[in-house]
Amino acid sequence: MTFRVAVAGASGYAGGEILRLLAAHPEVEIGALTGHSSAGRPLGAVQPQLSSLAGRALVPTTADALAGHDVVFLALPHGQSAALAGEVGGSALIVDCGADFRLRDPVAWERFYGSPHAGTWPYGLPELPGARAGLWGTRRIAVPGCYPTAVTLALFPGYAAGLLEPEAVIVAASGTSGAGRSLKPQLLGSEVMGSMAPYGVGGGHRHTPELVQNLSDAAGESVTVSFTPTLAPMSRGILATCSARLRPGAEADELRAAYEKAFAAEPFVTLLPPGLWPATSAVVGSNSAHVQLAVDENAGRLIAVSAIDNLTKGTAGGAVQSMNIALGLPETLGLPMNGVAP
Amino acid sequence: MTFRVAVAGASGYAGGEILRLLAAHPEVEIGALTGHSSAGRPLGAVQPQLSSLAGRALVPTTADALAGHDVVFLALPHGQSAALAGEVGGSALIVDCGADFRLRDPVAWERFYGSPHAGTWPYGLPELPGARAGLWGTRRIAVPGCYPTAVTLALFPGYAAGLLEPEAVIVAASGTSGAGRSLKPQLLGSEVMGSMAPYGVGGGHRHTPELVQNLSDAAGESVTVSFTPTLAPMSRGILATCSARLRPGAEADELRAAYEKAFAAEPFVTLLPPGLWPATSAVVGSNSAHVQLAVDENAGRLIAVSAIDNLTKGTAGGAVQSMNIALGLPETLGLPMNGVAP
Amino acid sequence: MTFRVAVAGASGYAGGEILRLLAAHPEVEIGALTGHSSAGRPLGAVQPQLSSLAGRALVPTTADALAGHDVVFLALPHGQSAALAGEVGGSALIVDCGADFRLRDPVAWERFYGSPHAGTWPYGLPELPGARAGLWGTRRIAVPGCYPTAVTLALFPGYAAGLLEPEAVIVAASGTSGAGRSLKPQLLGSEVMGSMAPYGVGGGHRHTPELVQNLSDAAGESVTVSFTPTLAPMSRGILATCSARLRPGAEADELRAAYEKAFAAEPFVTLLPPGLWPATSAVVGSNSAHVQLAVDENAGRLIAVSAIDNLTKGTAGGAVQSMNIALGLPETLGLPMNGVAP
Amino acid sequence: MTFRVAVAGASGYAGGEILRLLAAHPEVEIGALTGHSSAGRPLGAVQPQLSSLAGRALVPTTADALAGHDVVFLALPHGQSAALAGEVGGSALIVDCGADFRLRDPVAWERFYGSPHAGTWPYGLPELPGARAGLWGTRRIAVPGCYPTAVTLALFPGYAAGLLEPEAVIVAASGTSGAGRSLKPQLLGSEVMGSMAPYGVGGGHRHTPELVQNLSDAAGESVTVSFTPTLAPMSRGILATCSARLRPGAEADELRAAYEKAFAAEPFVTLLPPGLWPATSAVVGSNSAHVQLAVDENAGRLIAVSAIDNLTKGTAGGAVQSMNIALGLPETLGLPMNGVAP
């Protein structure tokens, strides 16, 4: 059985990655592809890497164009999904790669996004305890943000095991594709090559409330998060370096055991063997996350590090993984586990 | 039906890419993996990107280890394949990613490689006229060099159509993975990032006689080649900028027609629409080649440009594509057509 | 004696590099700095690397703002210098980093730039035979284009010595800063990192007529040029790979002797010792050019390669070098000879 | 008056940067240059960026070679300086860029370096309170490590003002030149380009005790440090993201005032205006440090970020700055304040 799939926002980086994965997915037929300023152009002119779909035409993003599909992916700027999702309606599975339906707290939503809260959909991070149950058969999926995917995988086992103080300090480095195809001077190649720089410092990044939500859920108490994202001179990848004080009495081997248990059955998360540390290159183009941890006895802290491809596991791959679950397909179908390296 | 496959040299860049492709190939079962200094280590320690095979052990490279497989890939330093291939013998399909069996001219071989010529095997560039016939059912395949793959695809249609003077000038830029995992100062990240540099200037690069062989075959006469490779600050990709004078009377539209005809039925070669030019990023991780051409009326020259991923279409992908043909499988089986970009 | 200097276009990449050099120049006092959309902002907000000038204000680009200076640098988009230069007038030394006054042939100008020809100023490539004489005491300087600087240095000695056929084939790789700070999708970091791509293929690049002019001047006859620029994943640097057939009877040692003679007394051009080849990293941030050559006996061609920093020797450094000559200062004053590497 | 200077370890990255700076220093004459495996070769063969010194010969590293100079820079692997310094002796100013004389605590030294403690020399971070007094007229200087330079500048004003809890969490990204020219697979361009990865996680990096020493000195109490270094895909630069809880009652404006006061008179440290954040590109090739801070009210933490060039302010520039002070020269003499960007 084949599912007919539409992609809204097919001209962006997330949309392109969704299509790269869907083109290799055995149970999917690619239907409408929509764009904004690129509508009317062939896909090959804006996504030259999609050789197998180069001749497909982009049409304007309307509910009509998206109607009549089994699955609709929304890869739109934050705040545009809610209205469109309402119009598309029907029985289609709608997978929103934007932020609109991720947060449960309307106050947090309005503070960080400045618009009315649209609601909350099942959260597409299957590795979280209980998350798969919420995805089976669902018709609506909120795909996590890229940073929250990386950070949550690095920290939730420690919080779920009750081994960490509720105060996390996170510094993450992202490739530039995380900022999308926006024409800003600081995203020009001349500016980013050879340079590392922070942004949204001091708690202002919009992924912060999502991090708080995920880690607090895992801990069963409110977790304070200090989150500093940095822009790294690479196209893809997130390296999240996360730390928290150990609860009194918590031991390094308890922590390792908690992580081993959390990821033992996960097809897309590798807890690396001792001595190996994640590198973003090892997961580029794949839906895999690599995780490693260490306890700094002197500082009394856990340091947990994860690496993902922000466009794959962090967006499009996570979306397809959740789609597979919702549609009753094998969870790993059509998803690469091995990275493109070196 | 599943073919059991061994990979000799699984710890190198080419070997890793072969395994990335084989792990996603539906008709293949991965058998022995051999290495040299890495023998005894788990694959995950040297190829961290291969999450799905991380626990597999590397064994020493011997004929015994390679025995009993349907297919054996050799991804070894140049000059080591011939001896090992002789020992393996038997009915296995041997796919040599090294140079040992590419050249027909023993004099050229000895001049560029300094050892006795081992022979010539069917050449694994299926896009060349007549090449597929030589690959059907074969038990031996010589995989082309990465530069020869890129350059030959860019120029052979013009030569085959008799439209070009037999004197080609080629400047190609390669990512650093083309040099393998050798520990040389000039390959350190600190040296290559932010830098372009030529090497092997003046005709000394070992791929030169292979270029001469391919272009001369296409032209039906001896073609002189000036080839300058350069090292570019990227891990993967070859951009080949190739030019030759037009024969008197040759017209731009004849050339375009020759290229359209040459690639019309090719699944892995895209002649880009007018106005679009190849970029290596668009083919990274894929088995696709992108080609475009222009005629400089003022200079009286054709400029043809191709982009490939040196490790995929330029090595491992080309090898698997030829394996598919030799085994009677669909030629595109298990091979990605779309690049990992941005 | 100190010269008071204004910079029009101080917010661009060329303007920033001019200021970096002038800030370290012992005989210069920095006066007015003008910008377009950045007028009114402090320099530090648009050129954060200029720590020593961070508080200086940018003012709108007008003739009034530029009046009253001993030297005025124009770092403006092509076609804007001529009008402004006319208004500034007076006895100031005007150094134009744009193309407006480089070409002698009005037909070539109009064909490539599409506007009326404004005239021709003394050409600021002091290494060319006779060029210094034209710069002594001049009040007007046309700074060469970045590609013409690199290519001319690589080829003029061979042409001046009468050893080369009048048909040059050039492939050059440039860092992205050569395209300036323009907000184009293909210049985004996500697109350029990890990618090589050509542009302006087939003779369309605006630097082509300048190359023809320089090489024809050196040869004393009309030289045909095939020029293909490529964009490389680095911020700075040009590597020009240039070739031409040897004249009958021309020998490799004659060529080397011609290059040695041409550069023996040049402070900023290093003909590398045999066996070493230029790398752009070795000249980043410096006003040096590195040159090397080889003769491919089989192909009958000279391959000459040069490396420069497109913003320093290719623009701002060449401009200051020429300014020094025009003002009667030591030619090397304030100009770095050593690159910032690794 | 001119000082005659020798450089031991002139073939490494630190040695090359020292020479780049010395070559532009008006009061210095470059004497003996020593190397290990490169002894006997011309400098241009190993440091091609040093065009002005290309013909200088490298000699073996011996006390004899270094004798008879006014200043001797040691840019050697950690642990080699102490013995050599003892042999050179005499009245020369010895500037050690290694770690041998940085730590006061023999126990910490032996734990992290595994050899007997050689002693402690005046510490070459002039921006630290009281540090300049220790450098005036000294004959021995211990140049700080690159990470400690970046981190200390980011945090000491807050600690010195008594506004921060004594528990710092630091994540820093470094360019690959920080690892020197060592031939390790993980430093190959193919591995580092497009990749971020941590190392020395959990307190194991050798710069940790130096961080503890500096921050504890500033705080007047023992400060616990959690330090995670990461390798970034760039040649140069350190971005240090540092955080600590605010002491009860500490306010954001007090913190800003403390930083303003600490750096008001510092020629090489720029506290950026509000809204601008450090980027490593802005300081490449310069002796400048850029610092910015924010208070995350929700997390109750200061986030302070600094950017330096690890080879310049982080090694060679800091060394020359301290040399200037020791010799009674103007502190900024010969040191670039402006970065090479874009």
Side-chain angles (χ1 to χ4, degrees), chain C residues 17 20 146 149-150 174-175 177-178 235-239 279-290 306-318 339-340, chain D residues 340-342:
Chain C
E17 184 73 352
R20 182 177 74 88
C146 50
T149 296
S174 174
S177 63
S235 291
R236 288 178 175 231
I238 288 178
L239 186 82
T280 61
S281 56
V283 295
V284 163
S286 84
N287 200 49
S288 292
H290 286 186
S306 65
I308 62 165
D309 182 323
N310 57 302
L311 289 180
T312 321
K313 179 59 181 165
T315 306
V340 178
Chain D
V340 178

Side-chain angles (χ1 to χ4, degrees), chain B residues 76-84 96 98-101 109 113 115-116 118 206:
Chain B
L76 302 169
H78 297 310
Q80 300 190 5
S81 303
L84 191 62
D96 182 22
D100 297 32
F101 298 98
W109 171 268
Y113 293 90
S115 60
R206 286 174 163 183

Side-chain angles (χ1 to χ4, degrees), chain D residues 4 39 83 89 108 122 131 145 238 242 247 271 302 325:
Chain D
R4 190 164 163 78
I238 287 179
C242 311
R247 278 259 152 85
L271 178 64
L302 165 77
I325 297 172

Side-chain angles (χ1 to χ4, degrees), chain B residues 13 175-178 180-194 232-235, chain D residues 13 175-178 180-194 232-235:
Chain B
Y13 291 160
T176 52
S177 63
R181 209 172 233 164
S182 33
L183 294 178
K184 297 176 183 163
Q186 71 271 30
L187 296 176
L188 287 174
S190 300
E191 317 265 333
V192 298
M193 288 188 283
M234 56 191 193
S235 290
Chain D
Y13 291 160
T176 53
S177 63
R181 208 172 235 163
S182 33
L183 293 178
K184 298 176 182 163
Q186 71 270 30
L187 296 177
L188 286 174
S190 299
E191 316 265 333
V192 298
M193 287 188 284
M234 57 192 192
S235 291

Side-chain angles (χ1 to χ4, degrees), chain C residues 289-311:
Chain C
H290 286 186
V291 176
Q292 183 57 289
L293 65 152
V295 168
D296 183 335
E297 300 289 355
N298 201 49
R301 298 184 80 89
L302 165 76
I303 320 291
V305 180
S306 65
I308 62 165
D309 182 323
N310 57 302
L311 289 180

